[in-house]
Amino acid sequence: MRFFITILVLAASIGQSVQAQGYEDMIMKSYQYTDSGDFRAAEECLKAAMRLEPANKFNFALLTNLGTIQRRQGKLDEALISYSAALSQRPDDALILTNRAELYTEMDENDKALADYNSLLSKQPLNENALYNRGMLYIKRGELILAQADFEKIIDNYKDTFLGRFGYAVLEKAQGNYDESEKILLYLIDKQPDNLRVLEERAELYFLTKRNGRAMADINRVFAGVKEPSAEMYMLRGRIKLAQYEKASAALDFKKALELGYDRDTVERLLKQTF
């Protein structure tokens, strides 16, 4: 009940401020709420601003921010509506297309994500982030030759690219070229020793090559560095623990991954090995 009362009070206060303040004021309030981590209030302020001036030409930016705030709250379907509404006003906007493509990837709508990246790259063929993200999607789909073409294009056009090299490390691992993948990852870790994404990738490589002590050291560093570990992180740590015969602890990680949305069949198959 206290949570319900808080919502009512906040809604009332927002309603009062809308009457007293204008479009720009509500936008500034949304920034303040976002900075303080109150995403629900930030969301309401952006909606209030657009109600005040529904025809304002800058509403595409507000819709984009709204989509990102909704995404951070786990409101993925609502975020998709917001991003799509923003794109209806700015169909060629690279940032909005990237945001929606990333959201589609998060929702496992990979074909739709690829369509957005293809649309973006048809207009900006050397967009590094789009090439990298499309290449990673191709790896997920098993289309390794297409992934290689995207990473090669990055490396050919961006001399000191981190993304292109990291993409190649993931590609080499997917092809079973573990030695080549490790060489690239070691180079990247030397450049960015605290990069958690690289450490997570190396942890998986060590696990695949049965160097479980090193794998655990890397994944522990990843867990220590993130506020909200992903389902994939729990699955990897659980697999490493299972390989080290820490069955009870592995089971806890697999169950946490399931709570975070990991594929149930995969989790249940691994849980059977912890009995």
Side-chain angles (χ1 to χ4, degrees), residues 10-129:
L10 180 58
S13 67
I14 289 175
Q16 292 169 1
S17 65
V18 169
Q19 295 174 5
Q21 301 179 50
Y23 182 82
E24 294 82 2
D25 297 309
M26 296 309 298
I27 295 171
M28 291 306 299
K29 276 186 171 290
S30 77
Y31 293 148
Q32 293 165 7
Y33 282 127
T34 300
D35 289 343
S36 68
D38 193 343
F39 300 121
R40 196 189 63 76
E43 178 181 0
E44 291 304 318
C45 285
L46 288 173
K47 289 178 179 178
M50 288 185 282
R51 284 196 295 270
L52 283 168
E53 297 189 24
N56 192 297
K57 65 180 181 179
F58 295 112
N59 280 349
F60 76 92
L62 271 62
L63 285 163
T64 304
N65 290 345
L66 178 62
T68 300
I69 287 169
Q70 290 166 330
R71 187 172 160 195
R72 293 183 71 173
Q73 296 177 85
K75 301 177 179 179
L76 303 189
D77 291 332
E78 293 178 40
L80 179 57
I81 292 171
S82 297
Y83 286 149
S84 297
L87 279 169
S88 70
Q89 298 180 27
R90 291 287 185 99
D92 297 330
D93 189 288
L95 175 61
I96 308 172
L97 277 168
T98 299
N99 283 339
R100 191 173 72 173
E102 290 176 351
L103 176 60
Y104 275 138
T105 302
E106 191 175 347
M107 299 171 76
D108 284 328
E109 296 278 1
N110 294 328
D111 289 343
K112 293 178 180 178
L114 276 174
D116 276 351
Y117 286 128
N118 289 338
S119 177
L120 172 54
L121 287 164
S122 70
K123 300 168 184 68
Q124 298 182 16
L126 296 181
N127 185 301
E128 184 181 13
N129 283 307

Side-chain angles (χ1 to χ4, degrees), residues 75-204:
K75 301 177 179 179
L76 303 189
D77 291 332
E78 293 178 40
L80 179 57
I81 292 171
S82 297
Y83 286 149
S84 297
L87 279 169
S88 70
Q89 298 180 27
R90 291 287 185 99
D92 297 330
D93 189 288
L95 175 61
I96 308 172
L97 277 168
T98 299
N99 283 339
R100 191 173 72 173
E102 290 176 351
L103 176 60
Y104 275 138
T105 302
E106 191 175 347
M107 299 171 76
D108 284 328
E109 296 278 1
N110 294 328
D111 289 343
K112 293 178 180 178
L114 276 174
D116 276 351
Y117 286 128
N118 289 338
S119 177
L120 172 54
L121 287 164
S122 70
K123 300 168 184 68
Q124 298 182 16
L126 296 181
N127 185 301
E128 184 181 13
N129 283 307
L131 285 168
Y132 167 77
N133 288 331
R134 188 174 71 174
M136 296 299 281
L137 276 173
Y138 282 143
I139 291 176
K140 187 184 277 190
R141 291 159 59 98
E143 299 177 85
L144 303 185
I145 293 176
L146 292 175
Q148 181 174 339
D150 278 348
F151 299 143
E152 282 182 354
K153 186 175 285 188
I154 296 173
I155 290 171
D156 288 344
N157 289 277
Y158 298 92
K159 180 181 177 182
D160 298 319
T161 175
F162 175 88
L163 292 178
R165 287 183 173 83
F166 181 71
Y168 245 110
V170 177
L171 176 64
E172 294 285 10
K173 189 189 69 175
Q175 293 173 323
N177 301 326
Y178 297 144
D179 289 343
E180 291 303 315
S181 179
E182 185 173 357
K183 288 177 185 177
I184 300 170
L185 292 173
L186 289 173
Y187 171 83
L188 294 175
I189 287 174
D190 182 62
K191 297 294 183 182
Q192 298 187 21
D194 297 321
N195 188 301
L196 299 180
R197 183 67 185 90
V198 181
L199 286 169
E200 183 182 355
E201 194 66 28
R202 190 174 68 172
E204 184 175 30

